[in-house]
Amino acid sequence: MRTTFTRQTQPTRGVRSWWGKAWQRAVEEAAYSDAELRPGRAHARRGDVGAISVASGGILAACRDGDDAWTVEVAIPVLEEASRTALVEVVAAEAGRIAELLAGNLPHDLVEHAEEVGVELLPYGGELAATCTCPHYLDPCPHAVAVLIQTGWLVDADPLVLFALRGVDRDGLLAQLHARTVPATVDDVGAGVTVASGELADDVELVVDAAQRAARLLALFEEGTELPDGLL
């Protein structure tokens, strides 16, 4: 599934989360030198990057430079199926982790637990393979650096963007977690299948509903819109 985010503005207080800073370090590692980083940061701050399209394994965006606009593509390795399954298991392993993710927080112990089972969620510089249609002789060029920096702003605000890039989008994650809580049939029980309680299924539904309500309230609050009673 591809998600397109509207033009970004630099966060007022900068990148604050530990995972957002880890992404920015990866961008710095990916760049060859400050000669690409400095103008890339300037492009990002000025808002020269257009809408950013995020999909499993890739980022697509345009970056304006004077009278020209260049197309940037970034490829990020997607987790293999076994690793995606392991990541879902890690999220489900402790109560409250999915609620944290939906609230915009990436628990440090979740990432550590994932690494223990061989799943690398946060990318390193060498995994950020960027190309641009501009004539610059190095990749990532300043335009690609700008797109990567702004993608980091998205990751900082919502760590599930990082999950999506790795091949586990929000809807897929919720569907898999929900499937784990659906009671098995009588035949399944007879075959020795572990049955999750109905209460756990209800908890997942409540968490999802609460997170969605909170996201809508926050969006309305930031817009200065009067909050409707139905969302309170």
Side-chain angles (χ1 to χ4, degrees):
M1 183 177 70
R2 181 173 293 277
T3 302
T4 300
F5 298 87
T6 58
R7 187 184 298 273
Q8 300 296 300
T9 56
Q10 185 176 16
T12 305
R13 293 181 290 180
V15 172
R16 307 197 61 172
S17 69
W18 70 267
W19 61 90
K21 292 176 180 178
W23 177 280
Q24 299 296 349
R25 284 196 297 272
V27 176
E28 293 169 359
E29 292 171 2
Y32 282 89
S33 68
D34 284 344
E36 286 73 43
L37 277 173
R38 284 196 300 271
R41 288 173 177 147
H43 281 304
R45 288 194 298 268
R46 283 197 302 266
D48 291 338
V49 177
I52 298 176
S53 180
V54 172
S56 175
I59 302 163
L60 178 65
C63 182
R64 186 176 62 247
D65 190 349
D67 294 331
D68 297 312
W70 308 103
T71 301
V72 173
E73 293 187 71
V74 181
I76 298 175
V78 173
L79 298 175
E80 296 180 356
E81 183 176 355
S83 294
R84 294 198 300 271
T85 300
L87 180 58
V88 174
E89 294 289 336
V90 167
V91 174
E94 290 190 16
R97 279 181 172 172
I98 184 58
E100 290 273 2
L101 288 170
L102 290 171
N105 183 43
L106 180 59
H108 202 282
D109 63 348
L110 186 159
V111 175
E112 290 180 336
H113 188 176
E115 290 176 350
E116 289 172 2
V117 296
V119 179
E120 294 289 340
L121 185 59
L122 289 162
Y124 57 88
E127 289 186 306
L128 303 176
T131 60
C132 181
T133 56
C134 78
H136 198 280
Y137 62 96
L138 289 178
D139 289 321
C141 66
H143 312 117
V145 168
V147 171
L148 286 168
I149 288 173
Q150 287 208 4
T151 301
W153 299 347
L154 295 173
V155 170
D156 180 58
D158 183 1
L160 286 175
V161 172
L162 178 58
F163 276 65
L165 285 168
R166 288 300 204 183
V168 184
D169 64 49
R170 180 189 302 260
D171 291 344
L173 176 62
L174 292 175
Q176 290 184 65
L177 289 171
H178 185 265
R180 290 170 50 87
T181 67
V182 174
T185 64
V186 173
D187 290 340
D188 289 333
V189 175
V193 174
T194 300
V195 182
S197 70
E199 292 181 359
L200 183 54
D202 292 340
D203 288 345
V204 172
E205 295 291 351
L206 287 172
V207 166
V208 173
D209 180 67
Q212 291 172 339
R213 286 173 177 268
R216 292 198 296 271
L217 282 170
L218 180 59
L220 291 173
F221 178 77
E222 290 177 344
E223 293 172 0
T225 304
E226 183 177 350
L227 301 182
D229 293 337
L231 281 179
L232 298 177

